[in-house]
Every structure is written in C-alpha cells, then in structure tokens.
Amino acid sequence: MNQAAPAVVTPTYDVTLENLFEHPEGRRVLTCIQCGMCAGTCPYGEVMDYPPRRIINMLRAGELEKVFRSDSLLSCVACYACMAKCPRGIRLTEVLLPLVKEQVFINLPETPAELQKALENTLRYGNPFGESSRKRAAWVKTAGVPIRILSEDPRPVDVLWFVECQNSYHPRGQDVSRATARLFHALGIDFAILGNEEKCAGECARLLGETGLFDTLMDYNMAVFAKYKFNRIVTSGVHAYDAFIYQYPERGFRYPVEQTTPFLARYLDKLRPMLTRKLPYVVTYHDSCCLGRHNGFYEEPRALLKAIPGVRVVEMVHNRVNSICCGGGGGGMWLDTYYKAKGYERLSERRVKEAIATGADVLAVSCPYEISRFEDALKVLGYDQKMVVRDVVELLAEAMEA
Amino acid sequence: MNLVVLMRMVPDVVEELEIAPDGKSLDQEALRLIVSESDDHALEEALLLKERFGGRVTVVAPEAPEVADVLYTAAAKGADRVIQLRGVEPGLGVAAMAEACAAALSAIPDLLPADLVLTGAQSIEDLDGLVAPLVAHRLGWPYLGVVTAVSEVSNGTATVIKEFQAGYRGEFQVSLPAVLGVQAAEKPPRYVPVAKVRAAMKATRIEEFEAPQPVPEPLQDVTIVALAKPEATGRAEMLEGSVEEVAGKLCELLAERGLL
C-alpha cells in the first residue's frame, strides 16, 4: 500500500504555454505519436471538437488559437484518464490541458450561469454553494464527539483535518464529516480543524482554467496554515489532496498530506477490532479519479471495505485505472446544466448504470463530490430504491456502532 | 458617450443580520457588505452600451468595507475610471445618501457632463427605489426607472425599455443627459476571471474624492422606531401516512380552501 509520502513528481507550476518546450514535460508532448488513446479513453472524447490528441496536433501546427476560441475543453472533467493511458507518458491532465483550459476559460464569450455563480461564491465565501463562510463549521455541533477548532484553541496539534467545502456544507457531506470525526476519535487521533477560517483549496477552479481564483485561495489557505502548529494534514477532499501535493508546494507548502481513506487504511489493524457490527451489504467501490488514477490508491479503500464484517465487495466493469469519472472534476460539478443543454449524457448516470449492473446494494465512494452526484443519478434513473451511496468512512462508522 | 455608474454596498443577506443594541439599526460589526445586485446590472448595462456605442464608463462608489474589490472588479470588466467617494458612509439613509452622491457627481473633476448616470432601480436598503430619482431630481435631469434595456442612443436621446407585469414592455424616449434606474441589464453581469481582477489591482488607481461638505444629515421627519427579526412560527403541518393517505388529506385540504 502507498505510504504517507507524497508522490515524487517534477514540479510543473512554472510551465507556461510560452516556455512549454524548455521544460522536460513540455518537450515530452512533442513525442506524441497521435495514437488517439487519450481521445478514446476520454469520457467526453466523442463530444469534444478538440480531444487531447487534436490539441497536441493543433499545438504542433501552431493553431492553438482555434482551441482557445472553442468551448470544447469545458467538457474536460480533469479525470486523468488520458494521462493514465498515454503510451508516451505525457502528463496531459497535469501540464498541457490546464494551460490550454486557462486560455479557453479566459476567452469564453459567456460563462455558463451555474458555473459563474459557483466561482463567484467561491471567491467571496470560500465555498461554491454561496453559504456563509461563518457557518462552515456549523456541523461540528452535531458531530457527537468533541472537535477542536484551531481559532478557538490554537495549541499545537498532530493532525490538521482539512474538511473541505462539500463535507462542511452539503447535508450528505456533513454525514461523512460526522463519521470521520467519530473514527478519528475512536482511533485516538489528536486532530483539529480550521473551522470558519478554512476556504476551498481551489483545485477544481484551477483545473477548470480559473487559475487566478486558485492562486487567491492558495495564498489565503497558506496564510492560515502559517498561523498554527501541526504535524500533518489529513483532508477529506481528494481534489484538495491533489492541490496540496502538486500545487501548494509552489508557495512553500511542506506538510505531509494524506486523504482520509488511505489515512484510515494505515490504521486498519487498530480499526479492525472496532468493526464489530455486521453489515450485510454487497458493495461496489467507485475509484475516484484523483485518489485512484492520479495517485494510485486503489487497494486502500477496498481493504477498508473488506475489513467490515458482512460486506462483500464486487467490482464494476470499469474499475481501478479504468474507472469512469463521476463528471464532477475540473469544474464539471458546476456544468451539469451546460452539459445537459448540449445533450451530453451525465457521466454520473453512465457510472451508476454500471454500479447497478453489479447487483450491489451499496455504491461506496471516497470523493466528496460523488455522494450527491451518484444519489442524484440514482434518482434520475429510478434506481434509488435499489442502491444507496455511502462514503467508505460512513460504512466504517456504521460498522463501529454497537 | 460618457456613462457614469453609481454603485453602492448593501448588507449581504447570506450572512445573519443582527440588530444592534439600540434596537433600531443593524449591528455594523456583524454586517458584511456586498455590492447591490441591481447596481451590478447597471454596470453591466453601461459596459454593453460602451461596447455598442463607444465611450467611457466611470464608476463612482461611496466608501465602505470591500468597496475597493468592487471597483477593481469593475475596472477588470472594462470600466475606464473608478472613484471612491469619501465621507459618504453607510447608514446615512437613502435620501441623504442620494443627495450626497448627486452633489459629489457635480463636483468630481472631469466627470460631468455625462450622457447617462446609471444605478440600480432598487436595493435591499432602498426597496422604494428612491436613490436614482432623487439623484435625477438633484441634477435636474429626467429619470426613467425599472429599465431593462437601452436600445438606441443617438442625437441627444436614448430609447429605453421598461418591463411591466406579465411581460409587457414599454419603449420610452428620453433626452440626454438622463438618470436610469436599472432593474436588469440586457445580459446577466459578466464573469471576470480573478487573474484579470488581480491584474487590475496592479494597473488601476482608485481615485479618492472627498464628498462636498457638509454631507447632508439623515432626514429627521421619518425615524426608525424599531427593527425586529422574523419570528419563527410553527405553522407548517406535516402530512403523515401512506402515499394514499397523504394524497387523500392533501385533496381534502385543497378542496377545503376552494382550490379543487
């Protein structure tokens, strides 16, 4: 299993479209053999005017301007599938696509309304929902276990738990937060949260092309981290995990970081005896793009699920590196209306059909976006009586109840 | 064309509104201010007019916390000049605020003559929509309110669309200069990428202008007696039972109220 140490990657935050070919990762783009694996594996490849393969072709032809003036890349959900499948190892989702998307975003004649609202809200309130930043920690009162908030009690702490937006505000996300808090508590972890001082880590804004918003949020969060003493960060957000591992180091971020699910998997020996309640569920696990394809945490969530008495794990046709994105990444979370208007299939619906086909009654997830996306998809498809969506952490907490 | 947009900060109702100990005002400590939504539409309409007919857009905003962000954002969207009005503070009241802003518009160097002054038709602090007509009155210019489009500007007149109930639209011609109270711009206010706002922060100078003295006093004829928070009532009735039972009860209720 992966350990806490962050993946070792060449930093690419200094790469621009202008200096692309001065950087090894930029030069690697030129080794593209135009095989089309990227476009073929892309969940929206068939609807894009410019799938990754064509973008590289346009780059070589000096015609990227045409890509900038198209909204084609708004359909990129930053799922890392093209990058995972590239036989040349071109880090598409990490390097070229964000640079191109930034230009696409700046050149959009009109920003889709739902997306605009989410971005404006994130800038103003630190969350895309437009909820008061002063209510970010309101869920803590219902946690059932004590949760230390650093602004109220700034003593040094071992684990800074970065809760993120979805799990702070969305009612189902708050369920996950309550479960997480109970698990941390049971494991005797010394943890605290930033409470109302926390703001969105910004990764989805970045991968959408709204890099200025990302920079603003990164600067803000870095300043808040500097106020407190802690040894490491554990975050519920898989996108926040990516931001902290791959982007925040640009601003001097040096803390060890883990996402909740792999973090808990490291405590499995301690956790196992506490999982006393039998859960007679057939569970299928959806690999999130960031945790799975991007960072290789395939076995940790499965190991946790298999440790729950009574749980039987079954696999979907597309699993691990082949998992299909829920459609929420790279700004997709706020583009459902836009995709719908274009007549695209919602990726969450495509994925849920696969989950149903396994015969499972629980769809287990570890990315905060997925609960609401898959629950909606189940309702839309009329499967909500057949299957429920649960975060791995929720299932662990359920198995811990007497 | 010379366009002036008056923008004001109003309480952000996303945050809880707290009543101050005097029972007559909002607790300023708990308040967070946001630009008034219809003022944002006024800016958008001005930017659209600039794009269509050419000219300059100047934004004038009374000082308030976070108003600098609003002015930099306006500059990033395409405003040519941004001015913060000092000495006109929130809490002045609608009439005095309008009076002070109008006096300032006349006094700010190189601002008037303008063709149009655009501002929001209403704000949550000004549900009566008095600011725009009072500014017009003070300037001695014609006023049109609840504007949803400016379709033509030529030969010293503007053709202005107002929207009435049930989708009825009225087309008006007004001689320039004029004051418009904008209900909604022709398009939703545009998004400006944060990087552009950050660039505007470096490239733009917010002009500071001291409001002409004396700043008018709040009106004494009408005073606030008390403010109260909405009282929570327990009047929602949950219908319990099976789908059929709930449907039955629902039909009964609707029939009882003459809706079936």
Side-chain angles (χ1 to χ4, degrees), chain A residues 124-136:
Chain A
R124 181 166 174 86
Y125 305 108
N127 70 81
F129 309 105
E131 293 284 339
S132 165
S133 51
R134 299 169 188 169
K135 292 181 183 164
R136 196 173 180 99

Side-chain angles (χ1 to χ4, degrees), chain A residues 105-106 109-111 116 119-120 123-125 130-135 210-213 215-216 219 251, chain B residues 9 12 14-16 29-35 66 77 187-196 198:
Chain A
F105 183 73
I106 287 171
E110 236 166 274
T111 310
Q116 173 165 346
L119 296 172
E120 287 170 350
L123 179 64
R124 181 166 174 86
Y125 305 108
E131 293 284 339
S132 165
S133 51
R134 299 169 188 169
K135 292 181 183 164
E210 207 343 338
T211 45
L213 176 56
D215 288 342
T216 303
D219 289 343
R251 298 288 203 274
Chain B
M9 302 295 275
D12 183 351
V14 162
E15 309 295 351
E16 295 281 339
E29 294 286 302
L31 270 190
R32 190 177 173 201
L33 299 177
I34 188 167
V35 70
E66 298 189 64
K77 286 180 176 181
K187 288 204 281 186
R190 65 196 64 193
Y191 185 76
V192 59
V194 177
K196 284 191 184 172
R198 283 165 79 115

Side-chain angles (χ1 to χ4, degrees), chain B:
Chain B
M1 193 164 41
N2 196 3
L3 302 156
V4 176
V5 183
L6 185 59
M7 298 181 86
R8 292 189 306 126
M9 302 295 275
V10 296
D12 183 351
V13 290
V14 162
E15 309 295 351
E16 295 281 339
L17 298 180
E18 298 294 338
I19 294 168
D22 69 2
K24 298 177 185 180
S25 58
L26 290 173
D27 181 353
Q28 297 293 321
E29 294 286 302
L31 270 190
R32 190 177 173 201
L33 299 177
I34 188 167
V35 70
S36 178
E37 194 179 348
S38 57
D39 289 352
D40 215 19
H41 279 267
L43 170 65
E44 183 62 33
E45 190 60 33
L47 294 170
L48 292 171
L49 290 176
K50 176 186 161 182
E51 283 163 10
R52 218 178 298 152
F53 303 109
R56 275 170 65 78
V57 172
T58 303
V59 176
V60 180
E63 68 177 316
E66 298 189 64
V67 75
D69 291 342
V70 171
L71 292 174
Y72 286 129
T73 304
K77 286 180 176 181
D80 302 277
R81 188 178 171 199
V82 290
I83 301 168
Q84 188 179 172
L85 209 51
R86 287 209 173 282
V88 184
E89 285 168 17
L92 200 56
V94 167
M97 166 72 71
E99 185 77 7
C101 288
L105 292 183
S106 307
I108 293 170
D110 308 319
L111 187 66
L112 301 185
D115 298 282
L116 285 171
V117 169
L118 301 99
T119 192
Q122 271 186 325
S123 77
I124 65 158
E125 278 192 331
D126 176 25
L127 290 179
D128 296 324
L130 291 175
V131 170
L134 287 173
V135 167
H137 176 73
R138 166 71 197 245
L139 292 174
W141 297 3
Y143 159 77
L144 273 169
V146 204
V147 168
T148 54
V150 180
S151 58
E152 186 58 52
V153 181
S154 60
N155 304 324
T157 64
T159 308
V160 173
I161 311 293
K162 283 174 69 143
E163 211 166 85
F164 297 90
Q165 279 169 322
Y168 283 89
R169 286 150 48 96
E171 199 177 285
F172 296 76
Q173 210 165 50
V174 61
S175 63
L176 301 181
V179 176
L180 302 182
V182 176
Q183 169 87 351
E186 290 161 57
K187 288 204 281 186
R190 65 196 64 193
Y191 185 76
V192 59
V194 177
K196 284 191 184 172
V197 180
R198 283 165 79 115
M201 283 178 175
K202 293 198 180 97
T204 310
R205 189 177 65 85
I206 295 178
E207 293 175 43
E208 306 273 344
F209 184 80
E210 204 66 41
Q213 299 296 324
V215 173
E217 292 287 320
L219 283 183
Q220 298 303 315
D221 307 341
V222 180
T223 54
I224 296 171
V225 179
L227 288 182
K229 286 190 132 190
E231 279 176 34
T233 55
R235 296 210 184 94
E237 187 188 341
M238 300 304 288
L239 301 179
E240 310 269 349
S242 68
V243 174
E244 284 73 24
E245 286 166 353
V246 170
K249 285 181 197 168
L250 194 58
C251 288
E252 271 173 41
L253 274 172
L254 292 174
E256 211 175 276
R257 284 159 174 71
L259 294 164
L260 275 184

